[in-house]
Amino acid sequence: MARVLIVDDAKFMRTLVKDALVPAGHEIVGEAENGNEAVDLYKKLKPDLVTMDITMREKDGIEAAGEILASDPAARIIMVTALGQESLLTKAIKLGVKDFVVKPFPPERLQKAAEKALA
């Protein structure tokens, strides 16, 4: 079981992520609405896994992932993104993000990405 931080500016997306990961045995230890909150909560909670939206106000998911990975190179982050953000995904993978899931996603896809990132 992994301790997971969910980062997305849309509450319904955070709920969808939670609904996919909790039945797979993961514990949601925190939720953030933007990249600033994500970085702060990561430092406080030290989760095993982060699901990170790319497009958010204040600080986007790429910046937040970069900051988290700079402070903790072992951080496991999965980007959860809308279609058409391939160039941003390439940047995220270069930073060290483990995987990405495209919205809307079947719960199994996110579960597989989580398993892969945690392996």
Side-chain angles (χ1 to χ4, degrees), residues 43-116:
K43 288 175 185 162
K44 256 188 266 184
L45 301 169
K46 296 278 186 253
D48 302 312
L49 181 68
V50 179
T51 65
M52 179 86 68
D53 183 22
I54 288 186
T55 315
M56 295 179 288
R57 292 179 303 283
E58 291 180 50
K59 181 179 291 175
D60 69 26
I62 303 288
E63 275 184 87
E67 279 184 43
I68 289 170
L69 286 159
S71 70
D72 179 4
R76 291 174 289 218
I77 302 173
I78 298 171
M79 302 309 282
V80 180
T81 178
L83 275 174
Q85 295 181 316
E86 287 77 11
S87 60
L88 292 173
L89 279 175
T90 305
K91 193 173 174 184
I93 299 293
K94 283 182 183 152
L95 283 172
V97 167
K98 299 292 181 214
D99 202 353
F100 64 91
V101 176
V102 177
K103 301 173 189 175
F105 52 84
E108 303 76 42
R109 173 65 188 104
L110 187 57
Q111 291 164 2
K112 278 198 182 100
E115 282 170 37
K116 182 179 144 189

Side-chain angles (χ1 to χ4, degrees), residues 5-66:
L5 170 61
I6 300 173
V7 185
D8 200 299
D9 55 351
K11 182 157 179 46
F12 82 95
M13 276 312 303
R14 294 196 306 271
T15 301
L16 284 178
V17 170
K18 199 183 307 178
D19 290 349
L21 293 178
V22 170
H26 303 296
E27 177 192 1
I28 308 309
V29 293
E31 293 185 29
E33 289 184 22
N34 62 56
N36 290 326
E37 280 180 27
V39 173
D40 291 343
L41 280 175
Y42 185 86
K43 288 175 185 162
K44 256 188 266 184
L45 301 169
K46 296 278 186 253
D48 302 312
L49 181 68
V50 179
T51 65
M52 179 86 68
D53 183 22
I54 288 186
T55 315
M56 295 179 288
R57 292 179 303 283
E58 291 180 50
K59 181 179 291 175
D60 69 26
I62 303 288
E63 275 184 87

